[in-house]
Amino acid sequence: MAISEAEAVVMDVLWREAPRTAEEILAEVGPAQGWQEGTVKSLLNRLLKKKAVHAERDGRRYLYTPLLAREQYVQQESKGLLDRLFGGRVAPLVVHFSEQRKLSKKDIAELRKLLKELDDEQH
Amino acid sequence: MAISEAEAVVMDVLWREAPRTAEEILAEVGPAQGWQEGTVKSLLNRLLKKKAVHAERDGRRYLYTPLLAREQYVQQESKGLLDRLFGGRVAPLVVHFSEQRKLSKKDIAELRKLLKELDDEQH
DNA sequence: CGCAAGCAATTACACGTGTAAACATAAATT
DNA sequence: AATTTATGTTTACACGTGTAATTGCTTGCG
């Protein structure tokens, strides 16, 4: 089963640094998200059930570690969108953003650099 | 309220060609999706409620037309993903796919072309 | 005119999600 | 030892979604 958006917020905390306690996660994410303790605990439990995190007892509390790698998650999500909306190809997506004027100077510079590198490693 | 994935499948039919009757939509999408009549009708009703389509009576049936433009939908979805996963920027997403070896020759060629065009229209 | 056929609208139902409140349990404090 | 405190676990509940079944309304047909 897929990871929901709220769950992904919790994963994000763990991806930045792990292991962490529920309390630490709440501290980092509660204020911005407007979540209470119970909410974070529930999300952690659902993530446990989905095998997306691992919990290791540490005295009276648990330390949570991600099992699902961020790369994996990003990959799934991005591929899903690409497949659904752009025929599974990257260029049309970039063209789309270009048409919407959503390419910054920085984006363009980085894309140039990337293409150059791909060119170089060609042989 | 956002459009769900099943609803988007119906929208896709209408984006390809509109207006259409529920029957036509079912014919186009039912087999592939494994949906019955009632399913398509329900989805259409939800889309009506969400003001994503318009229905115009035509004798005993309705003709459905999209109100939400595909561009708009694509924009929302893409921006959402970009914001959630790539800090709202396009280049990191492309880099991600590049690292996953998901850039085809064709993608690379098209990206080159796009950058060239952007360069040209610069002045 | 009464009924069948064709559509649409309403209702249904299980499951996931966001968001907790309530409950359980074990450790710390009085 | 009894009570408070800190955590985690279970239960809850409303809402969206996927997927129809059921009901309702027209309208052509016998």
Side-chain angles (χ1 to χ4, degrees):
Chain A
M1 204 185 321
I3 280 182
S4 80
E5 218 168 301
E7 287 160 4
V9 170
V10 170
M11 290 303 289
D12 252 322
V13 177
L14 292 176
W15 281 327
R16 272 197 290 284
E17 186 183 328
R20 308 252 215 161
T21 66
E23 198 192 4
E24 288 168 332
I25 296 172
L26 174 63
E28 180 146 339
V29 94
Q33 226 68 26
W35 286 347
Q36 323 266 116
E37 209 186 318
T39 304
V40 171
K41 299 274 176 69
S42 279
L43 293 173
L44 280 170
N45 273 321
R46 287 175 186 174
L47 287 169
L48 278 171
K49 237 178 230 150
K50 294 179 184 183
K51 310 273 186 196
V53 307
H54 169 77
E56 181 182 5
R57 186 133 233 158
D58 170 51
R60 53 161 63 242
R61 35 174 78 185
Y62 280 103
L63 293 177
Y64 297 91
T65 317
L67 286 183
L68 174 68
R70 186 179 140 89
E71 262 314 301
Q72 236 176 101
Y73 175 72
V74 169
Q75 182 58 26
Q76 283 165 203
E77 294 291 301
S78 317
K79 185 169 181 331
L81 183 97
L82 230 62
D83 287 350
R84 280 191 302 118
L85 301 184
F86 298 98
R89 299 197 38 250
V90 176
L93 177 144
V94 179
V95 169
H96 164 82
F97 277 104
S98 173
E99 282 166 354
Q100 305 295 129
R101 311 279 140 172
K102 288 288 160 44
L103 286 186
S104 64
K105 297 265 178 225
K106 204 173 163 199
D107 277 323
I108 295 175
E110 285 177 28
L111 288 176
R112 277 223 173 81
K113 183 151 159 274
L114 173 67
L115 286 179
K116 188 130 189 296
E117 284 166 11
L118 287 176
D119 204 28
D120 289 351
E121 87 191 18
Q122 189 61 16
H123 41 121
Chain B
M1 201 186 320
I3 279 182
S4 80
E5 218 168 301
E7 287 159 5
V9 170
V10 170
M11 290 304 289
D12 252 323
V13 177
L14 292 176
W15 281 327
R16 271 197 291 282
E17 186 182 329
R20 306 252 215 161
T21 66
E23 199 193 2
E24 287 168 334
I25 296 173
L26 174 63
E28 180 147 337
V29 94
Q33 225 70 25
W35 286 346
Q36 322 268 115
E37 208 185 320
T39 303
V40 170
K41 297 274 176 68
S42 278
L43 292 173
L44 280 170
N45 273 322
R46 287 176 186 173
L47 287 168
L48 278 172
K49 238 178 231 150
K50 294 180 183 181
K51 310 272 186 198
V53 307
H54 169 76
E56 181 181 7
R57 186 131 233 159
D58 171 51
R60 51 162 64 243
R61 36 174 79 186
Y62 280 104
L63 293 177
Y64 296 91
T65 318
L67 286 183
L68 174 68
R70 185 179 140 89
E71 262 314 302
Q72 239 176 96
Y73 175 71
V74 169
Q75 181 58 28
Q76 284 165 204
E77 293 291 300
S78 317
K79 187 172 179 326
L81 182 97
L82 229 62
D83 287 349
R84 281 191 302 116
L85 300 183
F86 298 98
R89 299 196 40 249
V90 176
L93 177 144
V94 180
V95 168
H96 164 82
F97 277 104
S98 173
E99 281 167 354
Q100 305 295 128
R101 313 278 140 172
K102 287 291 159 44
L103 286 187
S104 63
K105 297 266 177 224
K106 203 173 165 200
D107 278 323
I108 295 175
E110 284 177 30
L111 289 176
R112 277 222 173 81
K113 184 151 158 273
L114 173 68
L115 286 178
K116 189 129 189 295
E117 284 164 12
L118 287 175
D119 203 27
D120 289 350
E121 88 190 16
Q122 189 60 18
H123 41 123

mmCIF file of all heavy atoms in Angstrom, chain B residues 19-41:
data_model
loop_
_atom_site.group_PDB
_atom_site.id
_atom_site.type_symbol
_atom_site.label_atom_id
_atom_site.label_comp_id
_atom_site.label_asym_id
_atom_site.label_seq_id
_atom_site.Cartn_x
_atom_site.Cartn_y
_atom_site.Cartn_z
ATOM 1 N N PRO B 19 -18.140 17.540 -26.969
ATOM 2 C CA PRO B 19 -18.841 16.835 -25.887
ATOM 3 C C PRO B 19 -19.045 15.352 -26.192
ATOM 4 O O PRO B 19 -18.988 14.943 -27.347
ATOM 5 C CB PRO B 19 -20.191 17.548 -25.849
ATOM 6 C CG PRO B 19 -20.383 18.044 -27.231
ATOM 7 C CD PRO B 19 -19.035 18.386 -27.758
ATOM 8 N N ARG B 20 -19.340 14.619 -25.135
ATOM 9 C CA ARG B 20 -19.578 13.190 -25.242
ATOM 10 C C ARG B 20 -20.707 12.768 -24.303
ATOM 11 O O ARG B 20 -20.919 13.391 -23.283
ATOM 12 C CB ARG B 20 -18.347 12.428 -24.782
ATOM 13 C CG ARG B 20 -17.100 12.834 -25.487
ATOM 14 C CD ARG B 20 -16.679 11.776 -26.426
ATOM 15 N NE ARG B 20 -15.235 11.717 -26.480
ATOM 16 C CZ ARG B 20 -14.588 10.657 -26.935
ATOM 17 N NH1 ARG B 20 -15.243 9.596 -27.325
ATOM 18 N NH2 ARG B 20 -13.281 10.668 -26.985
ATOM 19 N N THR B 21 -21.346 11.685 -24.666
ATOM 20 C CA THR B 21 -22.375 11.132 -23.777
ATOM 21 C C THR B 21 -21.716 10.150 -22.813
ATOM 22 O O THR B 21 -20.595 9.667 -23.046
ATOM 23 C CB THR B 21 -23.423 10.367 -24.584
ATOM 24 O OG1 THR B 21 -22.787 9.215 -25.176
ATOM 25 C CG2 THR B 21 -23.991 11.230 -25.684
ATOM 26 N N ALA B 22 -22.451 9.860 -21.749
ATOM 27 C CA ALA B 22 -21.959 8.889 -20.769
ATOM 28 C C ALA B 22 -21.680 7.558 -21.449
ATOM 29 O O ALA B 22 -20.694 6.883 -21.150
ATOM 30 C CB ALA B 22 -22.986 8.698 -19.669
ATOM 31 N N GLU B 23 -22.537 7.207 -22.385
ATOM 32 C CA GLU B 23 -22.383 5.939 -23.095
ATOM 33 C C GLU B 23 -21.067 5.895 -23.864
ATOM 34 O O GLU B 23 -20.346 4.899 -23.837
ATOM 35 C CB GLU B 23 -23.570 5.762 -24.054
ATOM 36 C CG GLU B 23 -23.783 4.339 -24.502
ATOM 37 C CD GLU B 23 -24.759 4.282 -25.683
ATOM 38 O OE1 GLU B 23 -25.212 5.365 -26.133
ATOM 39 O OE2 GLU B 23 -25.057 3.170 -26.138
ATOM 40 N N GLU B 24 -20.766 6.978 -24.535
ATOM 41 C CA GLU B 24 -19.515 7.025 -25.297
ATOM 42 C C GLU B 24 -18.310 6.916 -24.372
ATOM 43 O O GLU B 24 -17.333 6.228 -24.673
ATOM 44 C CB GLU B 24 -19.439 8.329 -26.098
ATOM 45 C CG GLU B 24 -20.380 8.365 -27.291
ATOM 46 C CD GLU B 24 -20.511 9.764 -27.891
ATOM 47 O OE1 GLU B 24 -20.316 10.774 -27.171
ATOM 48 O OE2 GLU B 24 -20.813 9.867 -29.086
ATOM 49 N N ILE B 25 -18.407 7.596 -23.272
ATOM 50 C CA ILE B 25 -17.310 7.556 -22.313
ATOM 51 C C ILE B 25 -17.118 6.134 -21.810
ATOM 52 O O ILE B 25 -16.005 5.613 -21.780
ATOM 53 C CB ILE B 25 -17.583 8.518 -21.146
ATOM 54 C CG1 ILE B 25 -17.631 9.955 -21.670
ATOM 55 C CG2 ILE B 25 -16.519 8.375 -20.069
ATOM 56 C CD1 ILE B 25 -18.069 10.971 -20.643
ATOM 57 N N LEU B 26 -18.238 5.512 -21.455
ATOM 58 C CA LEU B 26 -18.163 4.121 -20.997
ATOM 59 C C LEU B 26 -17.513 3.237 -22.051
ATOM 60 O O LEU B 26 -16.632 2.433 -21.761
ATOM 61 C CB LEU B 26 -19.560 3.594 -20.676
ATOM 62 C CG LEU B 26 -19.593 2.103 -20.328
ATOM 63 C CD1 LEU B 26 -18.799 1.832 -19.066
ATOM 64 C CD2 LEU B 26 -21.025 1.616 -20.180
ATOM 65 N N ALA B 27 -17.949 3.407 -23.299
ATOM 66 C CA ALA B 27 -17.421 2.577 -24.382
ATOM 67 C C ALA B 27 -15.910 2.741 -24.490
ATOM 68 O O ALA B 27 -15.181 1.784 -24.702
ATOM 69 C CB ALA B 27 -18.089 2.966 -25.700
ATOM 70 N N GLU B 28 -15.446 3.954 -24.308
ATOM 71 C CA GLU B 28 -14.017 4.205 -24.500
ATOM 72 C C GLU B 28 -13.176 3.741 -23.329
ATOM 73 O O GLU B 28 -12.033 3.344 -23.482
ATOM 74 C CB GLU B 28 -13.782 5.700 -24.732
ATOM 75 C CG GLU B 28 -12.322 6.011 -24.941
ATOM 76 C CD GLU B 28 -12.117 7.162 -25.891
ATOM 77 O OE1 GLU B 28 -13.020 7.446 -26.700
ATOM 78 O OE2 GLU B 28 -11.034 7.788 -25.807
ATOM 79 N N VAL B 29 -13.762 3.783 -22.152
ATOM 80 C CA VAL B 29 -12.930 3.596 -20.979
ATOM 81 C C VAL B 29 -13.295 2.352 -20.177
ATOM 82 O O VAL B 29 -12.475 1.802 -19.441
ATOM 83 C CB VAL B 29 -13.031 4.878 -20.116
ATOM 84 C CG1 VAL B 29 -14.092 4.738 -19.073
ATOM 85 C CG2 VAL B 29 -11.687 5.235 -19.544
ATOM 86 N N GLY B 30 -14.536 1.893 -20.338
ATOM 87 C CA GLY B 30 -15.013 0.752 -19.570
ATOM 88 C C GLY B 30 -14.154 -0.493 -19.707
ATOM 89 O O GLY B 30 -13.695 -1.038 -18.700
ATOM 90 N N PRO B 31 -13.954 -0.953 -20.922
ATOM 91 C CA PRO B 31 -13.216 -2.196 -21.117
ATOM 92 C C PRO B 31 -11.818 -2.148 -20.478
ATOM 93 O O PRO B 31 -11.497 -3.004 -19.662
ATOM 94 C CB PRO B 31 -13.116 -2.275 -22.639
ATOM 95 C CG PRO B 31 -14.282 -1.506 -23.149
ATOM 96 C CD PRO B 31 -14.448 -0.374 -22.185
ATOM 97 N N ALA B 32 -11.058 -1.146 -20.833
ATOM 98 C CA ALA B 32 -9.695 -1.044 -20.316
ATOM 99 C C ALA B 32 -9.693 -0.963 -18.801
ATOM 100 O O ALA B 32 -8.840 -1.542 -18.112
ATOM 101 C CB ALA B 32 -9.015 0.181 -20.914
ATOM 102 N N GLN B 33 -10.659 -0.227 -18.253
ATOM 103 C CA GLN B 33 -10.666 0.030 -16.819
ATOM 104 C C GLN B 33 -11.449 -1.029 -16.042
ATOM 105 O O GLN B 33 -11.356 -1.096 -14.818
ATOM 106 C CB GLN B 33 -11.298 1.408 -16.599
ATOM 107 C CG GLN B 33 -10.556 2.286 -15.632
ATOM 108 C CD GLN B 33 -9.232 2.768 -16.172
ATOM 109 O OE1 GLN B 33 -9.023 2.860 -17.366
ATOM 110 N NE2 GLN B 33 -8.303 3.056 -15.264
ATOM 111 N N GLY B 34 -12.248 -1.784 -16.787
ATOM 112 C CA GLY B 34 -13.100 -2.745 -16.096
ATOM 113 C C GLY B 34 -14.231 -2.076 -15.335
ATOM 114 O O GLY B 34 -14.608 -2.516 -14.260
ATOM 115 N N TRP B 35 -14.764 -1.010 -15.891
ATOM 116 C CA TRP B 35 -15.832 -0.274 -15.206
ATOM 117 C C TRP B 35 -17.186 -0.554 -15.833
ATOM 118 O O TRP B 35 -17.298 -0.724 -17.040
ATOM 119 C CB TRP B 35 -15.578 1.232 -15.293
ATOM 120 C CG TRP B 35 -14.477 1.705 -14.411
ATOM 121 C CD1 TRP B 35 -13.886 1.019 -13.386
ATOM 122 C CD2 TRP B 35 -13.811 2.973 -14.486
ATOM 123 N NE1 TRP B 35 -12.907 1.790 -12.813
ATOM 124 C CE2 TRP B 35 -12.840 2.988 -13.460
ATOM 125 C CE3 TRP B 35 -13.946 4.094 -15.299
ATOM 126 C CZ2 TRP B 35 -12.005 4.080 -13.240
ATOM 127 C CZ3 TRP B 35 -13.128 5.178 -15.076
ATOM 128 C CH2 TRP B 35 -12.171 5.177 -14.061
ATOM 129 N N GLN B 36 -18.218 -0.510 -14.991
ATOM 130 C CA GLN B 36 -19.590 -0.631 -15.469
ATOM 131 C C GLN B 36 -20.175 0.763 -15.677
ATOM 132 O O GLN B 36 -19.567 1.774 -15.316
ATOM 133 C CB GLN B 36 -20.484 -1.318 -14.441
ATOM 134 C CG GLN B 36 -19.884 -2.429 -13.689
ATOM 135 C CD GLN B 36 -20.138 -3.747 -14.350
ATOM 136 O OE1 GLN B 36 -19.203 -4.392 -14.807
ATOM 137 N NE2 GLN B 36 -21.386 -4.142 -14.430
ATOM 138 N N GLU B 37 -21.386 0.718 -16.174
ATOM 139 C CA GLU B 37 -22.097 1.959 -16.441
ATOM 140 C C GLU B 37 -22.183 2.846 -15.195
ATOM 141 O O GLU B 37 -21.862 4.031 -15.234
ATOM 142 C CB GLU B 37 -23.503 1.574 -16.891
ATOM 143 C CG GLU B 37 -24.171 2.550 -17.808
ATOM 144 C CD GLU B 37 -25.595 2.104 -18.062
ATOM 145 O OE1 GLU B 37 -25.810 0.876 -18.230
ATOM 146 O OE2 GLU B 37 -26.490 2.966 -18.043
ATOM 147 N N GLY B 38 -22.685 2.231 -14.116
ATOM 148 C CA GLY B 38 -22.900 3.001 -12.880
ATOM 149 C C GLY B 38 -21.646 3.719 -12.413
ATOM 150 O O GLY B 38 -21.711 4.830 -11.871
ATOM 151 N N THR B 39 -20.527 3.071 -12.611
ATOM 152 C CA THR B 39 -19.266 3.663 -12.172
ATOM 153 C C THR B 39 -18.992 4.960 -12.919
ATOM 154 O O THR B 39 -18.713 6.001 -12.314
ATOM 155 C CB THR B 39 -18.126 2.667 -12.417
ATOM 156 O OG1 THR B 39 -18.437 1.459 -11.729
ATOM 157 C CG2 THR B 39 -16.821 3.214 -11.893
ATOM 158 N N VAL B 40 -19.130 4.899 -14.229
ATOM 159 C CA VAL B 40 -18.884 6.097 -15.030
ATOM 160 C C VAL B 40 -19.887 7.192 -14.668
ATOM 161 O O VAL B 40 -19.514 8.372 -14.524
ATOM 162 C CB VAL B 40 -18.966 5.764 -16.535
ATOM 163 C CG1 VAL B 40 -18.946 7.031 -17.368
ATOM 164 C CG2 VAL B 40 -17.808 4.848 -16.920
ATOM 165 N N LYS B 41 -21.128 6.816 -14.467
ATOM 166 C CA LYS B 41 -22.147 7.812 -14.111
ATOM 167 C C LYS B 41 -21.788 8.488 -12.785
ATOM 168 O O LYS B 41 -21.902 9.700 -12.634
ATOM 169 C CB LYS B 41 -23.517 7.145 -13.970
ATOM 170 C CG LYS B 41 -24.040 6.513 -15.247
ATOM 171 C CD LYS B 41 -24.779 7.490 -16.126
ATOM 172 C CE LYS B 41 -25.210 6.867 -17.443
ATOM 173 N NZ LYS B 41 -26.267 5.840 -17.263
#
